[in-house]
Amino acid sequence: METITPESYMEGLYEEDKVLARVQEVIRTHNMPEISIAPGYGRLLTMMVGMIGAKKVLEIGALGGYSGICLARGLKEGGKLISLELKQEFAEVAKQNVTDAGLGAFVDYRIGEALVHLNELLAQGERFDFFFIDADKVNYPNYLELAIQLANPGAIIAGDNTLMRGKVVDANQNKTSVQAMRKFNQSIASDPRLESTILPAYDGLALARVR
């Protein structure tokens, strides 16, 4: 008998999102990592982008475009999502998926090291209303700091995988990526520039508002 978790129970309340289901299938057929944001958190991203009326959104880590679609769905006419992706082949899949979802006009992909792009955006005086961090875990603390510097007052910063499948609470796990995530979580909780919470469902999602 299949075990029903709180997450699977909640997902069962919703009809399948055919657009996002297709994205997951495309990711599988391209042999990409199946590590997109959880459906419940995807819906939350859409809601939050819409609720705060975000006009400029920055995504760190595009993968196959699943989260990009969720973010772009919350944008209104004239809104823009800049998505940073290290790998050209991943960005191409993401762009095609977002375009097929009818949201291609909202998204601009930039390829290469995220830290380079973030510092360039900072030097250009760019500012954003919403950030979604879902990339290499070692740089999460660096991404957080640069997001704060790039944020408009009241901007929201969301970071996925804050539990790292339980590794952050396992004292025996001390890889660099785990230590970096612990530092990120502690910073989210204690940085005086932020008000925040960390949601423990799925694989953990940090949410912070820049004061």
Side-chain angles (χ1 to χ4, degrees), residues 26-137:
V26 171
I27 287 173
R28 280 190 290 272
T29 59
H30 282 79
N31 295 314
M32 297 167 65
E34 295 184 48
I35 52 174
S36 300
I37 191 170
Y41 284 159
R43 291 190 294 271
L44 181 60
L45 292 183
T46 301
M47 287 176 58
M48 294 189 71
V49 169
M51 286 167 65
I52 69 169
K55 294 181 179 178
K56 294 187 69 176
V57 177
L58 182 62
E59 175 183 45
I60 305 173
L63 192 60
Y66 188 109
S67 57
I69 289 172
C70 295
L71 293 163
R73 282 174 169 176
L75 290 169
K76 293 182 172 58
E77 193 68 34
K80 178 61 75 174
L81 166 64
I82 293 179
S83 183
L84 310 181
E85 174 53 52
L86 177 64
K87 298 183 177 182
Q88 176 77 42
E89 62 269 28
F90 286 6
E92 289 175 358
V93 172
K95 184 174 183 179
Q96 188 60 58
N97 282 332
V98 171
T99 300
D100 290 345
L103 299 164
F106 287 101
V107 189
D108 174 23
Y109 287 95
R110 303 192 182 184
I111 316 302
E113 293 286 346
L115 290 176
V116 173
H117 286 297
L118 290 168
N119 280 294
E120 287 177 351
L121 290 167
L122 190 62
Q124 294 164 5
E126 295 282 359
R127 293 296 180 269
F128 296 87
D129 307 306
F130 196 100
F131 301 81
F132 180 54
I133 303 171
D134 191 11
D136 61 298
K137 309 314 175 193

